[in-house]
Structure formats: structure tokens, C-alpha cells
């Protein structure tokens, strides 16, 4: 059966217009004259400092399907590495802990014999010399590699196949242009290297039509647990033959990666349903004409096969087989998201960094509910979205996001903030706890504390529409008053050290990380403020008292927070620069930091911290940390550091260091992109905020949320405030001064002078003009925090 990919009956007039634009863009690439925000995005940025969820391939905002090339082994930072000039396959899922279903076009003799540590794909570092030495891995012509939001393309050098990728939320489209050959193939791999050590437990694969296939892969890793990835594949060309391979049954080991494959590989014609396991796949055989194109549609579901078919119907009804129409639709979705902010500057490269960063904030996390609203909860039970919940999302831990994604979403994309908050509350309804890291919607055992609560609290405090505040309050209160518990299948809900924290007023060194005292105290603050705004006076007082627990961890003799034993004695010897924990995530010490870093982790009481440390020592220590590299701005625990000077009487240093971070820590190159671990948009959200000159020290959880101000990096920014949540007027941020000026001389909001580096959220989202006069030298008379000013800043 051959379906007609040229039919235009399902292409709407809007898509026809977009298609004309896309056709030009795909030929021209990033043209110098391109001005639209979507054309400013560099999808290869940072991909040489990669992780599985940092990919150059095709996706829509928060898409389930992230169809992208893979070229590495099963290693940390697995997936795509820009400097590796080969590809082993194009897989459909690139979220934290989630993977599944890789496809690869091949031309020539079938090669699934052992050639390296991976029996059929070859090794990421070669050798390369065609199919005989590299399995079905192929070198790529890097000069032919193209990428933009929603589109990726490359030419495979060893087979002369052009591969193009695009996607809807739950369906991938792969367009393949083959050379003339009677030995053309499409490989479907069910067991391929990912970032996490993933076991393949079972595979089912069957042919359901001349050019249609379906099945599922059951897999497991420590974060996503045991789960099934269901798929339906449809092609525009029927294969002449279908075969499957199996490299022995599943042995029960945690992983087969890193071991030598030496068993004979069984390749056999598909007869009925193929049932396999680790080291299995299928190959579709074709004869192709010169430059013959074939398109593959691949729908994914985590629920069942009916879900995969439903996703295919729902998301292809208006697009059919029109690959370019799908590219246009994806581009339109990215244009809407990115176009909410208009950035103008004399330096186009800086504008590119901004839109690349904004793109990354929506590229990592994944919708995992089906188009019909069904999903599988933490227990694996099929559920349906509650009324008012539009999706549920799989995510890495939201640890530290109170300084990155939370303030960015609630200001720039409040509907995303509401959707994310409602996803967390939906999962709480099913499982009894708000998940810290809802990887595959589970209570994944990763990171610490409950910083996802800050997103929910901030959204409520800012009066975003659509969140059940009473339910949210009860859910957060439960989690902060109930000691954490181990659940089935390796899951863990809640705080592991909550009981000793409540008993001692801190986390004793014998039972867990010292840093958790600081993290738990911040969470307590968030709930105390929500209690205050919701009229729960007794709870407000109780949790405000608990929020002061960080003081029990502070050693006045050293001026640092310090590990403390249950008997009250301080741990000795003490080195404030000693990094990390002993004994895993929940061992003794400091989670991804040290005492120096975590001493500054009191975002809800910076004035109290300054008073305890002493203002002079506080500023001296902090400034020396920036000068000597002690401040870690490549990971979450220290991201608030530049704004601490706003609270210690030297706001010009906040201006100096935030502008230096924007200039020095980020670019659009594949080799750098950003310094450190980007996670799922958290470091890039940080760039977005700093470049706008806005931050929220307490994550926006105050009963009266406010923004900390610094020096914006752009001449002019227009934020189109979402009328569904705010007044609907634009917020304009503009600066004057010479290029390179970083120091604030004066600030006005709607013509009213601001005398302190802070402004209320309620004032800002009414819209207007936030105007900065910048200069080359600090104005030390401006910005020292005092009484509230006329514009509502405190």
C-alpha cells in the first residue's frame, strides 16, 4: 500500500501560508535577515555539554515526542554529542528517565552481527568505514545538519539517506530520502543506549496492515520505574519483507550496556507477534528509486495501544501525511510561546542567546497524558485528568526552580505555571503526596526538599486563575507535617529527614544532609506565607517559627552554617569549602554544595542572615566568592547569590555580577551554551530572568510577592502580559545609556521614581514602562533598601 503524501486536502489556508515561510527557512537556515523570535533559536547550543534531555531534534513545547538523533553509549550525558560525527539512530523520547523506540534508515547488506560492545550499532568513537565496521551506525555530513524549533535534518554519509524529523505533541514524523537500491531498510531498535541504565523487560511487535505496525516496549530504570511505551507506526510505503532480531532473552541483570555481545544474533521473518526482550529489534526491507521519499508517522502513549492510536488520530487529522505542514504547525506553536516577549538590542547575538534560552525552558519537560486525558499514575493505574487539569507532566526534580522556572513562568507564561501546578496537584490526588520529581508521574527518588511547592504557592499568591487554593494548601500542609515514606517500586514521597528536623529543629549530621535544614526551612516559609494570605493564622505562626530553624544550624563562632550532631555539638574538624555529601544524596554534608554556599541559602530571611554574619563580613565573603570563583553559578543552590547584595547595602554589586553572568556564562555555541548542568531549562530560565533584570529571592511566595531588580541586559523588552491572568497591558523594560553601561543611575516605573531595587508583582503586572538610566560607574546613592516608595516597592 502506498499513501499519497502529496495530497493537500487536509492542509488549512493558515498552514499553506506557514508552509511557504517554512520552505524558505529550511533552504536558507538561519539567515542574517531573520528577525522572528523562532528564527533566533540555536537548537545545537550546549549540545557538546549534553544530557539526554538536551537534544537538537524536533519537538513542540513540552511535547511527549522529542524525536532526535543519538550517537553516544549508555553514559552520563548520553544521547547526542555535537562533536561525534555519526548517528546510531533517531529515538522518540528524550526526557529525564524516559526513552523508547529508535529508528534508523540503512542501505546495503544487513549488518546485525557483533562489531563492538554494541552488537548492532557500533561504538560512538568508531571505528568508521561503512556498515561493515560500525554495524548500522553511520557517519554524518555535519555540513548538512540543520535544526530549528520543531525541525531537524541530516544526511547520513555512509548510506546517502537524507533524514528529516518533525513532531506534534505525541506523534513523530520522519521523512527519509533514499538513494536507488534494492537493499534499503528501516531499522527499528527497541534496546539502545540512553542516559539512564535502562533494562528492557519485554517487547511486542506486530504488523497490523501493509504499511502499519504496533507494539510496546516494557522497560525499567531507577527513576521512571517499570513502564510500557506503546507505539503505532505507519509508513507511506509498504515493506517488501519484515524481519526481527533477538540477541538472547533478558537475563535479569540491571543493564546489558557495557558488556560484550557475543551470542549469535537471531534474525527471522516476522510471523504473527514478535515477542522479545533485551537486544531486540525489527528491520523493514524496501527497494527504492533514486531520491525516493518515505514518511513514517509514529504515535506514542504511556497508557495503552488504544491511547497511541487515539493520539495518532487526534494529532494528524488536520495534518495528514504533510511533513512540511507539521513543521509549520510546530513552528507556529514555538512562535506563540517565544513571541510573548519581544527583545530589542544593538547586539543580535545577545538576542539569539535570549530566545535560545527561552526555547530550552519549554523543551525538556514532557506531557505524558494522552490526547483523551488518560494517563497512568504512580501506581501504574489508568486515570483520567480531573476537570480543569489540561495535562500531566513528567519532570526531573524541581529542586532550585524557585529561582528559575517559577518566577519566569508566573510572569512570562502564567498559563504554563498553572498547568504545571495543576499537574502536581492532580498527581497528589492520585498518590496522596505532591511529587518532588514526577518522572513518569512517579515519586522518583531524586533530589531533596519540596521546592515544587514554591511554584504552587507563587501561582496562588500572584492570583493566577485556575488553581484550587484550598486543595493546594491542604496538600502542601500534609507533606510538610508528615514524615516521608518509601513506596512501592523504589519510590519515595516526602522529606526523608522531616522527623529529626522537627525533633531537633535541624537535621543532625548523623541522619542526613546539613543543607536540608536550610531547604526545609525555606519550604516552611512558603507555607507560612500561604497560610497568612489564606487566613490560617495559627498555621502561619507555626510555620513561620519553623522557617527560622536555619538559625539552629548557624555557628556564630565561624559565621557559617555547620554540620551539627543530635547532641547539639558541632562537627569537627570543619572545612566550609568541603563539597558534597558522604553516602549518596541523603548522606552527611551538603547536597551539591558546601557550607560556604549554603550559608547564603536563607532566601526568606536575608536581613536576618546579614545581621548574624555581620554586614561587613557578609559582603566581604560574598564579593571574594565572586572574585575567586567560590560562588557556584552552574548549579541551583547558589543562583540567588548575585542578588544578595541588594539586601546588604551594596546593590551596585548585584548589577555588576548579574551583568557579568549574562555576558560570560551563556552563548549559543554547541561547545559552551551555558556553564554547568542545564537540567530541564533551569539554568536557561535563570538567564532569561537576569537579562530582564528581574529576580525573586523568595521564589514569589510572599503574601505580597515582589521582584528584586538589577540592570537589564537589553535596550528594550516588551512582555505581552497574558490577559487570562493579568490586566493584559504590555510591560515595557527599557534602558538608556552607552553600550556596555551596567550600573543603575535611576529607575522609574510609569514615571514614578523607584529608590530601592524592588517592585511589587501586583504593580508590575498592571503593565507600563520600567525605565532604567544606566551609567559606567556605580551610583552608590541609589538602591539601598529603606521605606516603601511611591510605586509600591518595599
Amino acid at each position: 500500500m502506498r499513501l499519497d503524501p502529496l495530497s493537500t486536502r487536509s492542509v488549512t489556508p493558515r498552514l499553506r501560508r506557514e508552509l511557504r515561510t517554512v520552505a524558505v527557512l529550511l533552504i536558507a537556515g538561519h539567515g542574517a535577515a531573520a528577525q522572528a523570535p523562532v528564527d533566533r533559536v540555536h537548537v545545537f547550543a550546549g549540545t557538546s555539554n549534553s544530557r539526554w534531555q538536551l537534544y537538537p531534534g524536533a519537538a513542540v513545547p513540552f511535547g511527549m515526542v522529542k524525536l532526535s538523533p543519538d550517537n553516544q553509549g549508555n553514559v552520563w550525558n548520553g544521547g547526542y554529542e555535537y562533536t561525534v560525527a555519526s548517528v546510531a539512530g533517531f529515538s522518540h523520547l528524550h526526557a529525564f528517565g524516559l526513552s523508547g523506540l529508535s529508528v534508523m534508515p540503512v542501505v546495503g547488506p544487513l549488518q546485525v552481527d557483533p562489531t563492538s560492545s554494541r552488537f548492532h550499532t557500533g561504538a560512538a568513537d568508531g571505528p568508521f568505514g561503512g556498515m561493515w565496521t560500525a554495524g548500522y551506525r553511520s557517519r554524518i555530513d555535519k555540513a548538512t545538519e540543520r535544526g530549528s524549533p520543531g525541525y531537524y535534518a541530516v544526511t547520513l554519509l555512509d548510506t546517502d539517506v537524507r533524514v528529516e524529523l518533525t513532531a506534534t505533541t505525541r506523534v513523530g514524523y520522519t521523512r527519509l530520502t533514499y538513494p536507488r537500491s534494492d537493499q534499503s531498510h528501516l531499522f527499528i531498535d527497541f534496546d539502545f543506549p540512553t542516559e539512564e541504565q535502562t533494562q528492557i523487560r519485554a517487547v511486542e511487535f506486530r504488523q497490523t496492515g501493509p504499511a502499519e505496525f504496533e507494539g510496546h516496549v516494557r522497560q525499567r530504570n531507577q527513576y521512571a520505574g517499570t513502564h510500557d511505551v506503546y507505539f503505532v507506526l505507519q509508513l507511506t510505503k509498504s515493506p517488501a519483507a519484515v524481519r526481527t532480531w533477538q540477541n538472547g532473552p533478558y537475563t535479569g541483570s540491571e543493564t546489558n550496556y557495557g558488556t560484550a555481545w557475543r551470542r549469535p544474533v537471531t534474525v527471522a521473518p516476522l510471523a504473527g507477534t514478535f515477542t522479545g526482550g533485551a537486544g531486540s529489534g525489527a528491520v523493514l526491507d524496501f527497494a527504492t528509486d533514486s531520491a525516493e521519499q518515505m514518511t513514517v508517522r509514529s504515535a506514542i502513549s504511556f497508557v495503552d495501544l488504544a491511547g497511541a492510536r487515539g493520539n495518532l488520530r487526534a494529532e494528524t487529522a488536520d495534518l495528514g501525511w504533510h511533513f512540511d505542514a507539521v513543521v509549520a504547525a510546530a513552528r507556529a506553536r514555538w512562535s506563540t510561546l517565544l513571541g510573548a516577549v519581544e527583545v530589542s538590542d544593538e547586539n543580535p547575538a545577545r538576542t539569539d542567546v535570549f530566545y535560545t534560552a527561552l526555547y530550552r525552558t519549554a523543551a525538556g519537560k514532557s506531557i505524558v497524558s494522552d490526547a483523551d486525558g488518560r494517563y497512568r499514575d504512580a501506581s501504574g493505574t489508568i486515570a483520567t485528568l480531573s476537570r480543569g487539569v489540561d495535562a500531566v507532566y513528567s519532570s526531573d526534580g524541581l529542586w532550585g526552580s524557585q529561582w528559575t522556572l517559577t518566577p519566569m513562568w508566573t510572569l512570562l507564561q502564567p498559563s504554563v505555571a498553572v498547568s504545571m501546578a495543576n499537574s502536581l496537584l492532580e498527581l497528589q490526588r492520585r498518590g496522596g503526596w505532591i511529587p518532588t520529581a514526577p518522572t513518569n508521574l512517579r515519586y522518583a527518588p531524586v533530589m531533596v526538599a519540596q521546592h515544587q511547592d514554591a511554584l504552587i504557592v507563587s501561582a496562588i499568591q500572584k492570583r493566577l486563575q485556575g488553581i484550587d487554593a484550598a486543595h493546594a494548601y491542604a496538600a502542601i500542609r500534609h507533606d510538610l507535617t508528615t514524615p516521608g515514606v518509601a513506596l512501592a517500586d523504589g519510590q519515595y514521597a516526602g522529606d526523608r529527614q522531616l522527623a529529626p528536623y522537627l525533633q531537633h529543629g535541624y537535621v543532625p549530621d548523623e541522619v542526613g544532609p546539613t543543607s536540608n535544614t536550610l531547604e526545609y526551612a525555606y519550604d516552611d516559609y512558603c507555607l507560612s506565607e500561604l497560610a497568612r494570605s489564606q487566613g490560617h493564622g495559627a498555621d502561619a505562626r507555626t510555620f513561620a517559627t519553623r522557617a527560622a530553624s536555619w538559625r539552629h544550624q548557624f555557628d556564630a563562632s565561624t559565621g557559617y552554617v555547620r554540620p551539627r550532631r543530635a547532641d547539639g555539638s558541632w562537627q569537627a574538624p570543619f572545612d566550609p569549602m568541603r563539597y558534597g555529601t558522604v553516602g549518596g544524596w541523603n548522606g552527611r554534608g551538603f547536597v551539591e554544595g558546601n557550607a560556604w554556599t549554603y550559608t547564603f541559602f536563607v532566601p526568606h530571611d536575608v536581613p536576618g542572615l546579614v545581621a548574624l554574619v555581620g554586614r561587613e563580613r557578609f559582603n566581604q565573603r560574598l564579593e571574594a566568592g565572586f572574585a575567586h570563583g567560590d560562588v557556584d553559578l552552574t548549579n541551583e543552590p547558589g543562583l540567588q547569590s548575585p542578588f544578595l547584595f541588594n539586601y546588604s547595602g551594596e546593590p551596585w554589586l548585584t548589577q555588576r555580577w548579574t551583568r557579568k553572568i549574562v555576558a560570560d556564562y551563556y552563548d549559543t555555541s554547541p561547545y559552551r551554551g551555558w556553564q554547568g548542568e542545564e537540567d530541564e531549562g533551569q539554568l536557561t530560565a535563570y538567564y532569561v530572568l537576569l537579562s530582564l533584570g528581574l529576580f525573586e529571592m523568595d521564589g514569589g511566595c510572599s503574601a505580597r510577592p515582589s521582584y528584586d531588580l538589577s540592570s537589564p541586559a537589553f535596550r528594550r523588552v516588551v512582555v505581552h502580559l497574558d490577559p487570562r491572568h493579568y490586566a493584559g497591558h504590555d510591560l515595557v523594560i527599557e534602558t538608556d545609556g552607552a553600550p556596555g553601561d551596567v550600573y543603575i543611575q535611576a529607575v522609574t516605573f510609569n514615571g514614578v521614581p523607584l529608590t530601592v531595587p524592588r517592585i511589587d508583582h501586583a504593580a508590575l503586572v498592571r503593565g507600563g514602562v520600567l525605565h532604567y538610566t544606566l551609567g559606567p560607574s556605580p551610583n552608590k546613592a541609589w538602591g539601598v533598601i529603606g521605606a516603601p516608595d511611591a510605586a509600591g516597592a518595599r
Side-chain angles (χ1 to χ4, degrees):
M1 178 181 70
R2 184 187 295 268
L3 300 179
D4 181 7
L6 300 179
S7 169
T8 59
R9 64 186 178 186
S10 63
V11 179
T12 65
R14 179 182 64 81
L15 284 178
R16 286 196 187 94
R17 291 193 297 270
E18 283 280 358
L19 281 173
R20 287 193 290 270
T21 302
V22 169
V24 173
L25 291 170
L26 294 184
I27 294 171
H30 271 286
Q35 297 296 318
V38 70
D39 300 316
R40 296 287 193 182
V41 174
H42 296 248
V43 298
F44 295 101
T47 54
S48 192
N49 176 25
S50 187
R51 286 194 63 188
W52 184 249
Q53 59 267 31
L54 176 63
Y55 54 88
V60 297
F62 307 107
M64 177 189 294
V65 168
K66 306 178 192 301
L67 187 51
S68 190
D70 303 321
N71 58 21
Q72 298 190 83
N74 183 212
V75 294
W76 176 252
N77 286 9
Y80 176 88
E81 161 60 48
Y82 183 81
T83 61
V84 175
S86 68
V87 167
F90 302 87
S91 66
H92 287 70
L93 304 172
H94 287 84
F96 177 75
L98 298 181
S99 60
L101 194 65
S102 178
V103 298
M104 181 68 173
V106 175
V107 176
L110 190 65
Q111 292 294 315
V112 293
D113 294 328
T115 57
S116 70
S117 62
R118 286 293 289 152
F119 76 97
H120 55 284
T121 61
D125 56 356
F128 302 115
M131 304 308 296
W132 291 105
T133 59
Y136 69 63
R137 174 185 291 271
S138 174
R139 295 171 296 170
I140 62 174
D141 183 348
K142 293 291 286 187
T144 70
E145 197 173 28
R146 297 284 184 270
S148 60
Y151 177 79
Y152 172 89
V154 72
T155 297
L156 304 180
L157 192 60
D158 293 322
T159 59
D160 194 29
V161 177
R162 182 68 171 171
V163 180
E164 297 175 275
L165 310 175
T166 189
T168 66
T169 299
R170 302 170 181 88
V171 180
Y173 279 70
T174 304
R175 184 163 67 186
L176 305 169
T177 305
Y178 284 91
R180 181 186 300 275
S181 176
D182 59 1
Q183 296 188 74
S184 293
H185 316 284
L186 180 66
F187 274 51
I188 303 168
D189 196 349
F190 305 122
D191 184 8
F192 54 94
T194 63
E195 182 176 80
E196 301 302 333
Q197 299 283 334
T198 298
Q199 312 164 20
I200 303 301
R201 294 292 184 86
V203 169
E204 284 193 346
F205 180 74
R206 67 185 65 87
Q207 188 166 9
T208 50
E212 182 182 272
F213 303 84
E214 69 177 21
H216 80 276
V217 182
R218 179 163 297 163
Q219 54 193 30
R220 173 182 172 75
N221 63 54
Q222 63 177 324
Y223 298 123
T226 301
H227 60 284
D228 291 294
V229 178
Y230 297 90
F231 59 86
V232 174
L233 300 178
Q234 295 179 338
L235 297 81
T236 54
K237 183 181 178 73
S238 299
V242 182
R243 292 174 283 174
T244 59
W245 76 73
Q246 175 67 58
N247 181 250
Y250 171 64
T251 63
S253 62
E254 275 295 305
T255 176
N256 288 302
Y257 303 142
T259 62
W261 292 82
R262 291 294 179 262
R263 296 176 184 167
V265 177
T266 302
V267 181
L270 177 64
T273 297
F274 168 70
T275 301
S280 63
V283 57
L284 314 183
D285 299 330
F286 307 89
T288 54
D289 295 330
S290 178
E292 181 176 346
Q293 286 191 338
M294 178 176 71
T295 301
V296 182
R297 299 193 307 198
S298 39
I300 301 293
S301 170
F302 289 92
V303 179
D304 54 24
L305 278 172
R309 289 196 175 278
N311 292 340
L312 186 66
R313 286 192 300 270
E315 297 188 2
T316 65
D318 292 334
L319 298 167
W321 288 92
H322 310 295
F323 183 92
D324 291 339
V326 183
V327 175
R331 171 185 166 85
R333 291 182 63 177
W334 283 112
S335 294
T336 297
L337 183 141
L338 300 171
V341 186
E342 296 180 34
V343 172
S344 304
D345 196 73
E346 62 266 9
N347 184 347
R350 200 154 52 190
T351 304
D352 287 2
V353 176
F354 179 87
Y355 284 114
T356 300
L358 191 56
Y359 165 80
R360 280 291 168 205
T361 67
K365 303 182 190 305
S366 300
I367 292 171
V368 289
S369 47
D370 282 344
D372 63 5
R374 295 185 307 146
Y375 65 93
R376 287 189 182 267
D377 66 16
S379 70
T381 302
I382 297 176
T384 301
L385 297 174
S386 302
R387 179 177 296 180
V389 180
D390 58 1
V392 283
Y393 299 84
S394 180
S395 170
D396 192 357
L398 288 164
W399 181 67
S401 59
Q402 73 273 8
W403 291 326
T404 56
L405 292 169
T406 287
M408 192 206 75
W409 280 337
T410 52
L411 178 63
L412 304 184
Q413 298 158 359
S415 291
V416 171
V418 170
S419 185
M420 289 286 176
N422 279 335
S423 172
L424 293 167
L425 295 173
E426 172 77 3
L427 300 179
Q428 187 276 338
R429 290 186 186 95
R430 299 289 304 179
W433 300 75
I434 302 173
T436 304
T439 307
N440 190 32
L441 308 184
R442 288 163 38 90
Y443 296 95
V446 59
M447 304 317 301
V448 297
Q450 305 298 315
H451 297 338
Q452 74 282 353
D453 293 351
L455 170 62
I456 302 170
V457 172
S458 180
I460 294 171
Q461 302 288 53
K462 293 170 181 174
R463 295 177 171 81
L464 302 187
Q465 301 301 304
I467 299 175
D468 184 338
H471 171 215
Y473 181 82
I476 295 171
R477 189 183 190 282
H478 167 272
D479 292 359
L480 297 191
T481 57
T482 309
V485 295
L487 303 174
D489 199 18
Q491 301 181 78
Y492 198 96
D495 286 327
R496 292 176 187 264
Q497 288 85 36
L498 183 61
Y501 169 77
L502 296 178
Q503 178 185 354
H504 299 280
Y506 60 93
V507 176
D509 185 50
E510 299 97 317
V511 300
T514 296
S515 55
N516 276 0
T517 298
L518 291 301
E519 309 246 27
Y520 292 179
Y522 168 70
D523 292 339
D524 288 337
Y525 161 80
C526 294
L527 184 55
S528 73
E529 289 294 291
L530 183 60
R532 184 155 70 98
S533 66
Q534 297 294 310
H536 302 287
D539 276 357
R541 292 186 291 273
T542 296
F543 286 97
T545 299
R546 281 176 47 172
S549 297
W550 66 272
R551 293 174 178 266
H552 301 151
Q553 203 75 67
F554 185 84
D555 174 22
S557 68
T558 62
Y560 288 103
V561 297
R562 180 175 176 180
R564 191 175 193 179
R565 300 184 181 91
D567 63 8
S569 62
W570 298 110
Q571 179 250 27
F574 171 60
D575 177 4
M577 295 300 180
R578 180 170 180 170
Y579 183 93
T581 54
V582 178
W585 287 114
N586 294 284
R588 301 163 54 204
F590 296 86
V591 176
E592 298 191 5
N594 55 24
W596 193 97
T597 301
Y598 272 98
T599 296
F600 294 109
F601 194 110
V602 190
H604 54 290
D605 190 10
V606 181
L609 177 65
V610 173
L612 277 183
V613 175
R615 175 174 161 172
E616 183 177 349
R617 180 165 64 171
F618 183 95
N619 285 330
Q620 180 186 34
R621 189 180 283 174
L622 188 58
E623 188 168 12
F626 276 99
H628 301 148
D630 297 329
V631 177
D632 184 2
L633 297 169
T634 67
N635 202 6
E636 282 82 355
L639 296 183
Q640 87 290 9
S641 300
F643 285 88
L644 293 172
F645 292 113
N646 274 359
Y647 295 78
S648 62
E650 297 184 346
W652 55 91
L653 293 178
T654 289
Q655 299 151 34
R656 174 191 298 173
W657 290 111
T658 56
R659 288 293 295 275
K660 185 171 178 59
I661 294 164
V662 166
D664 295 352
Y665 278 61
Y666 297 83
D667 63 30
T668 59
S669 77
Y671 308 104
R672 218 173 101 125
W674 43 81
Q675 296 184 27
E677 188 180 325
E678 204 270 349
D679 284 323
E680 290 179 320
Q682 279 156 236
L683 282 190
T684 46
Y686 186 58
Y687 174 89
V688 170
L689 292 168
L690 265 61
S691 67
L692 299 181
L694 299 172
F695 191 73
E696 286 185 306
M697 180 63 68
D698 73 347
C701 292
S702 167
R704 184 183 173 188
S706 63
Y707 296 93
D708 301 278
L709 303 182
S710 186
S711 173
F714 298 106
R715 284 294 185 187
R716 180 179 170 86
V717 176
V718 180
V719 178
H720 300 298
L721 295 168
D722 189 336
R724 291 168 291 183
H725 300 278
Y726 299 134
H729 304 296
D730 288 345
L731 168 65
V732 179
I733 303 171
E734 59 185 21
T735 64
D736 59 40
D741 287 350
V742 303
Y743 294 104
I744 297 173
Q745 308 300 303
V747 184
T748 62
F749 182 60
N750 291 335
V752 179
L754 303 184
T755 59
V756 296
R758 197 173 301 169
I759 186 170
D760 279 355
H761 168 83
L764 199 68
V765 298
R766 285 194 289 269
V769 179
L770 187 61
H771 181 89
Y772 292 78
T773 300
L774 304 181
S777 302
N779 175 7
K780 295 184 179 181
W782 183 88
V784 177
I785 291 179
D789 58 50
R794 292 180 298 158

